[in-house]
C-alpha cells in the first residue's frame, strides 16, 4: 500500500515536471512568434502592452518615398504653371499660326503703339522710352525697375538684334519677327515676360488687382484714350467685379500676341485695332 502511494506520488511529480516543460516550450514558441511578428510589423512591446509602430528604418524609407512623391508633384505643378502660360495645345498649332489678317492687324496695332514718334519704324529708343513711361509712374520698386529694364533689353536683343540707332524695325519686319516668335516654342513662352511689370507699374496701391482708374493709367502711358481704356477694361473684367488680377492681365495681354481667335476678348487689351 505504501509502495503504491509512493509510485503515485513519483508519477504525479513527473507529470508536473512535464507540464512545466510543455508550458515553458509553449512560452518559448509564443515569444519566438511574437519576435517574428515584431520584426516584420514593427510591434513594440512593454511589460503591460504592445504597440504597433513602423520601424525607424522603414519609416525613413516611407518618408523618403513620400517626400519624393511630393517633390515630383511640385515639379509637375511648376511645369504646368510654366507650360500653361503657353497654352495646353501649343504642340498642335506651333508652326501654323500668324497667317490670318486678324493676327496681322493686331501686330500692326502694337507696332503703332511702340512707334512713339509715328515715323513708321521702331528702335530700341522707342522701346525704352515706353518703358520709361511706366517707370515714371513711380509705383515700381527699385528692384522691379531694374528687372524691368533688363527684360526690355533682353527682349529687344532676342527679337530684333543689336541695340543701335541704325537698327530700325519697320511694320513688315516687325510682322515677320513676331511670326517667328509665335512659331518658336521657347520664344513664344518668353514673349509676355514684360507684362507683369506693366501691371505692377499701374497697380498704385500694390493690391494685386487693378481698377478701371488704374487701367486708365496703363492706356495713358500707351498714348491711348480713357474711353478706350474703359471699354477694354469692361471686356477684360469678365466677372464684372470692377477689378482685374495680375493673372488676368498677363493672360489677356499675352493672348493678344498668340491667338488668332477673333472672339477672344484679348483683342481689346492694347486698345482699338488699327486698319491696314
Amino acid at each position: 500500500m505504501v509502495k503504491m502511494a509512493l509510485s503515485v506520488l513519483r508519477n504525479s511529480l513527473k507529470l508536473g515536471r512535464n507540464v512545466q516543460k510543455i508550458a515553458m516550450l509553449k512560452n518559448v514558441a509564443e515569444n519566438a512568434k511574437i519576435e517574428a511578428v515584431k520584426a516584420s510589423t514593427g510591434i513594440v512591446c512593454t511589460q503591460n502592452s504592445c504597440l504597433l509602430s513602423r520601424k525607424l528604418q522603414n519609416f525613413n524609407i516611407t518618408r523618403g518615398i513620400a517626400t519624393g512623391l511630393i517633390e515630383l508633384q511640385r515639379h509637375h505643378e511648376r511645369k504646368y504653371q510654366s507650360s500653361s502660360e503657353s497654352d495646353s495645345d501649343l504642340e498642335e498649332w506651333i508652326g501654323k499660326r500668324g497667317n490670318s489678317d486678324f493676327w496681322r492687324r493686331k501686330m500692326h496695332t502694337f507696332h503703332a503703339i511702340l512707334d512713339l514718334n509715328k515715323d513708321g519704324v521702331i528702335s530700341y529708343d522707342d522701346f525704352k522710352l515706353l518703358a520709361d513711361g511706366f517707370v515714371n509712374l513711380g509705383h515700381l520698386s527699385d528692384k522691379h525697375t531694374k528687372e524691368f529694364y533688363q527684360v526690355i533689353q533682353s527682349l529687344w536683343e532676342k527679337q530684333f538684334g543689336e541695340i543701335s540707332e541704325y537698327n530700325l524695325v519697320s511694320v513688315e519686319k516687325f510682322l515677320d519677327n513676331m511670326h517667328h516668335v509665335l512659331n518658336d516654342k521657347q520664344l513664344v513662352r518668353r514673349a509676355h515676360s514684360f507684362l507683369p511689370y506693366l501691371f505692377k507699374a499701374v497697380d498704385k496701391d500694390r493690391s494685386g488687382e487693378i481698377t478701371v482708374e488704374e487701367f486708365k493709367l496703363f492706356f495713358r502711358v500707351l498714348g491711348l484714350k480713357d474711353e478706350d481704356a474703359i471699354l477694354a477694361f469692361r471686356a477684360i473684367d469678365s466677372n464684372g467685379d470692377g477689378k482685374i488680377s495680375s493673372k488676368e492681365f498677363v493672360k489677356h495681354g499675352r493672348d493678344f500676341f498668340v491667338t488668332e481667335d477673333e472672339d477672344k476678348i484679348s483683342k481689346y487689351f492694347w486698345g482699338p485695332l488699327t486698319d491696314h
Side-chain angles (χ1 to χ4, degrees):
M1 192 72 177
V2 172
K3 289 182 179 180
M4 185 179 295
L6 289 172
S7 177
V8 170
L9 180 60
R10 282 196 297 270
N11 290 335
S12 296
L13 289 173
K14 287 182 179 179
L15 179 63
R17 285 196 295 270
N18 289 336
V19 169
Q20 286 182 338
K21 286 182 180 180
I22 292 171
M24 288 176 62
L25 290 172
K26 185 176 181 181
N27 286 337
V28 170
E30 289 296 327
N31 288 335
K33 188 184 295 184
I34 289 172
E35 290 301 319
V37 173
K38 285 165 64 178
S40 63
T41 63
I43 293 178
V44 177
C45 295
T46 66
Q47 289 181 341
N48 300 319
S49 63
C50 289
L51 298 175
L52 183 63
S53 64
R54 292 183 180 87
K55 285 192 171 295
L56 181 59
Q57 182 180 5
N58 290 339
F59 174 75
N60 286 337
I61 292 172
T62 304
R63 184 174 61 181
I65 294 172
T67 301
L69 289 174
I70 292 172
E71 286 302 314
L72 183 61
Q73 181 181 9
R74 287 176 179 172
H75 168 74
H76 283 303
E77 287 174 353
R78 288 192 296 267
K79 183 178 179 182
Y80 173 75
Q81 289 170 357
S82 175
S83 63
S84 66
E85 292 178 347
S86 58
D87 289 340
S88 59
D89 61 346
L90 178 62
E91 294 293 338
E92 296 181 13
W93 58 257
I94 203 75
K96 304 173 185 177
R97 289 291 178 99
N99 299 314
S100 68
D101 288 339
F102 174 67
W103 182 83
R104 292 174 64 84
R105 186 182 174 195
K106 288 195 295 182
M107 296 308 102
H108 270 272
T109 300
F110 192 66
H111 184 275
I113 290 172
L114 295 176
D115 182 13
L116 298 183
N117 62 1
K118 307 305 176 187
D119 63 353
V121 294
I122 58 175
S123 65
Y124 179 72
D125 286 341
D126 290 315
F127 225 54
K128 187 175 180 300
L129 281 173
L130 190 60
D132 290 341
F134 287 100
V135 171
N136 291 338
L137 291 175
H139 307 142
L140 285 174
S141 66
D142 291 341
K143 176 178 177 290
H144 288 145
T145 296
K146 182 178 179 180
E147 291 175 355
F148 183 34
Y149 281 127
Q150 289 173 342
V151 167
I152 289 297
Q153 180 175 334
S154 177
L155 276 175
W156 178 271
E157 290 175 336
K158 283 182 171 62
Q159 293 184 208
F160 305 113
E162 65 175 345
I163 297 175
S164 166
E165 59 181 319
Y166 302 108
N167 184 11
L168 304 176
V169 181
S170 65
V171 173
E172 286 306 315
K173 183 177 179 180
F174 183 78
L175 286 170
D176 288 343
N177 178 271
M178 292 305 297
H179 185 275
H180 173 66
V181 169
L182 183 63
N183 291 287
D184 184 286
K185 292 181 183 179
Q186 299 303 318
L187 291 177
V188 75
R189 285 172 175 152
R190 293 195 297 262
H192 63 290
S193 57
F194 64 100
L195 288 170
Y197 297 98
L198 304 190
F199 181 88
K200 292 179 184 295
V202 297
D203 182 16
K204 293 192 297 184
D205 57 1
R206 300 182 181 180
S207 64
E209 295 176 319
I210 58 174
T211 63
V212 66
E213 292 303 317
E214 289 171 319
F215 198 78
K216 286 179 184 178
L217 286 179
F218 172 55
F219 265 42
R220 287 170 191 164
V221 175
L222 298 178
L224 301 172
K225 300 175 182 178
D226 282 359
E227 51 264 40
D228 292 328
I230 295 171
L231 292 174
F233 185 89
R234 288 175 178 170
I236 296 171
D237 179 24
S238 55
N239 63 0
D241 66 352
K243 297 176 182 178
I244 296 175
S245 68
S246 174
K247 184 177 180 180
E248 289 176 304
F249 184 92
V250 171
K251 179 186 184 303
H252 294 303
R254 177 193 165 276
D255 282 351
F256 180 91
F257 296 106
V258 303
T259 182
E260 293 183 291
D261 186 350
E262 297 188 38
D263 293 328
K264 290 278 189 180
I265 58 178
S266 58
K267 64 185 176 183
Y268 301 109
F269 188 85
W270 298 98
L273 298 183
T274 59
D275 295 321
H276 70 279

